[in-house]
């Protein structure tokens, strides 16, 4: 695999798995489709979080490029806790410092890293696969990017936009990360 295009979903009406895109988010998805179409490399596969906002984000591009959207639960957002968390931003920041931190009913950053690493390993094993799009959510995106660039952390997550796009390219035996979306 030469290139992984990582996409964070467009603006949505909420955080529930069935939350649709806002009117602005629908327009962003159209702009994203045009942006991806202008790239110099052919996309071979699209894998998306099964959450509705992620699928809606990539659907205009997938339809135009005639590429099926493959749903993969390993791309769904990390659940910080199943119980309400008043200071969730502080807890999220702490979870970037302590990858083993797990709240009741939640998933640690390491748990999320292991599931996303499994997907990456599967994709890397596909010798014919050169260019793939992965559509996900902000927290998981940061964890995913950390697999390629170790200094990615909470401050990077805070700077992500909806949508956001990162290009991960293999070159000379290692991967390079580049933010290619210009909000």
């Amino acid at each position: 695999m030469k290139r992984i295009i990582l996409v964070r979903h467009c603006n949505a009406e909420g955080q529930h798995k069935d939350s649709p895109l806002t009117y602005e988010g629908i327009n962003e998805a159209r702009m994203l489709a045009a942006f991806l179409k202008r790239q110099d490399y052919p996309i071979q596969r699209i894998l998306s979080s099964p959450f509705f906002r992620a699928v809606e984000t990539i659907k205009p591009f997938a339809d135009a490029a005639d590429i099926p959207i493959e749903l993969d639960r390993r791309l769904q957002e990390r659940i910080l806790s199943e119980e309400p968390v008043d200071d969730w931003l502080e807890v999220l920041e702490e979870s970037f410092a302590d990858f083993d931190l797990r709240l009741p009913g939640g998933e640690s950053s390491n748990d999320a890293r292991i599931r996303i690493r499994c997907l990456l390993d599967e994709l890397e094993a596909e010798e014919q696969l050169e260019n793939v799009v992965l559509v996900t959510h902000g927290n998981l995106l940061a964890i995913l990017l950390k697999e390629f660039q170790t200094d990615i952390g909470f401050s990077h997550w805070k700077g992500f936009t909806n949508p956001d796009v990162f290009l991960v390219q293999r070159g000379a035996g290692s991967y390079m990360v580049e933010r290619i979306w210009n909000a």
Side-chain angles (χ1 to χ4, degrees):
M1 186 168 44
K2 293 182 181 177
R3 291 178 196 88
I4 306 169
I5 299 92
L6 301 172
V7 176
R8 183 185 190 192
H9 65 80
C10 298
N11 279 294
E13 291 183 7
Q15 296 300 311
H16 187 270
K17 67 178 184 162
D18 296 326
S19 295
L21 296 181
T22 62
Y23 179 75
E24 177 186 14
I26 292 168
N27 288 329
E28 292 165 346
R30 291 180 187 134
M31 291 185 327
L32 176 67
F35 173 81
L36 292 172
K37 190 175 180 179
R38 289 191 304 270
Q39 300 309 304
D40 293 333
Y41 35 83
I43 303 301
Q44 294 165 285
R45 289 180 69 190
I46 299 171
L47 285 85
S48 176
S49 159
F51 287 17
F52 191 59
R53 62 188 178 272
V55 175
E56 274 196 312
T57 292
I58 200 63
K59 190 170 181 355
F61 173 73
D63 288 349
D66 197 28
I67 301 172
I69 300 170
E70 301 170 46
L71 302 183
D72 195 308
R73 294 176 51 94
R74 293 171 290 187
L75 290 167
Q76 72 188 30
E77 183 61 290
R78 173 181 158 223
I79 296 173
L80 192 58
S81 175
E82 291 204 351
E83 298 176 4
V85 179
D86 292 333
D87 56 347
W88 71 269
L89 197 57
E90 290 174 23
V91 173
L92 182 63
E93 183 174 12
E94 188 179 340
S95 78
F96 277 93
D98 178 0
F99 259 50
D100 292 317
L101 175 68
R102 180 182 294 113
L103 297 178
E107 182 179 35
S108 73
S109 295
N110 264 332
D111 293 336
R113 187 192 65 74
I114 289 167
R115 75 172 149 95
I116 200 63
R117 184 73 249 173
C118 180
L119 174 60
L120 292 173
D121 290 345
E122 285 176 19
L123 294 172
E124 288 173 352
E126 291 186 34
E127 292 182 21
Q128 309 305 331
L129 185 60
E130 292 192 7
N131 304 305
V132 62
V133 171
L134 303 180
V135 186
T136 191
H137 308 268
N139 188 212
L140 191 67
L141 175 62
I143 293 168
L144 211 163
L145 286 170
K146 194 168 183 65
E147 288 294 294
F148 302 104
Q149 184 177 323
T150 57
D151 70 337
I152 297 287
F154 180 74
S155 63
H156 293 91
W157 171 84
K158 283 179 64 176
F160 291 169
T161 60
N162 290 89
D164 216 333
V165 183
F166 291 83
L167 174 63
V168 179
Q169 281 189 104
R170 184 176 11 195
S174 64
Y175 284 96
M176 297 177 0
V177 174
E178 177 185 5
R179 184 181 198 179
I180 59 174
W181 183 254
N182 189 357

